[in-house]
Amino acid sequence: QGIVPLDGESMAAVLEAYMRQSEQLETRLVLAADDQASAGLLLQRLAEHGGTAPPTDSDAWDRALTLAATLKSGELLELPPETLLRRLYGQEQIQPQSTLTPRFACTCSRERIGRMLLSLGREEVDSIIDEMRVVTVTCDFCSRSYSFDAVDVAQLFASGGTETTAHATRH
């Protein structure tokens, strides 16, 4: 894993720098927000044909960036995506991707927390049990808590984390 600094004067600039340094993708991000909504336009320069062929339109990326620079915050917040695409890139051949609806989805689970406890080692986890009588881990993302008592910890280390503990439904 590498570390990418948070460089930039805006959130868009920080994310563009991250994509360029970490993902090696040229990216332009235009963001807008008001009291009611937030919106954004994401452009990414993708290699044609898996990067094996020269681009068929050598100045397409520069044109896309120039056209995106004409976008006003109010337009981004108020216009539907189809209208924005037509306004910005009506003369271009575009292939819109399907619309995605964001949703909250945390990937924490009792099994993942168990694997984390295994990585701490038996001695460390037992010292927490001795002091607190239970190990409780709270997910920083969704705030769900997972508790492991002495029986759970013994079973966890005996199985190496391959089976769920006796209190698997407890959060």
Side-chain angles (χ1 to χ4, degrees), residues 45-95:
R45 185 177 193 172
L46 303 177
E48 289 191 37
H49 310 290
T52 60
T56 54
D57 186 352
S58 61
D59 67 336
W61 178 245
D62 291 332
R63 258 193 340 272
L65 295 180
T66 300
L67 292 168
T70 68
L71 187 59
K72 308 256 185 300
S73 292
E75 292 175 304
L76 193 53
L77 290 167
E78 296 167 11
L79 295 177
E82 298 79 18
T83 304
L84 278 176
L85 281 175
R86 202 169 36 258
R87 201 251 316 135
L88 291 172
Y89 304 109
Q91 301 299 315
E92 302 292 327
Q93 185 179 16
I94 57 172
Q95 299 172 353

Side-chain angles (χ1 to χ4, degrees), residues 100-118:
L100 300 175
T101 302
R103 65 179 177 83
F104 176 80
C106 185
T107 59
C108 75
S109 69
R110 186 165 180 81
E111 291 75 23
R112 288 182 125 184
I113 300 300
R115 287 194 303 271
M116 182 273 300
L117 293 176
L118 286 170

Side-chain angles (χ1 to χ4, degrees), residues 4 9 21 38 67 132:
V4 177
E9 295 181 19
Q21 293 176 14
S38 60
L67 292 168
M132 309 294 287

Side-chain angles (χ1 to χ4, degrees), residues 8-9 13 29 34 43 45 49-50 52 70 96 99 113 126 130 138 158 160:
E9 295 181 19
L29 187 57
D34 62 18
L43 300 175
R45 185 177 193 172
H49 310 290
T52 60
T70 68
T99 302
I113 300 300
D126 281 345
D130 290 344
T138 302

Side-chain angles (χ1 to χ4, degrees), residues 121-131 135 150 153-154 157:
R122 182 70 189 251
E123 187 177 326
E124 180 70 22
V125 176
D126 281 345
S127 73
I128 297 169
I129 291 289
D130 290 344
E131 183 180 330
V135 176
V153 168
F157 280 91

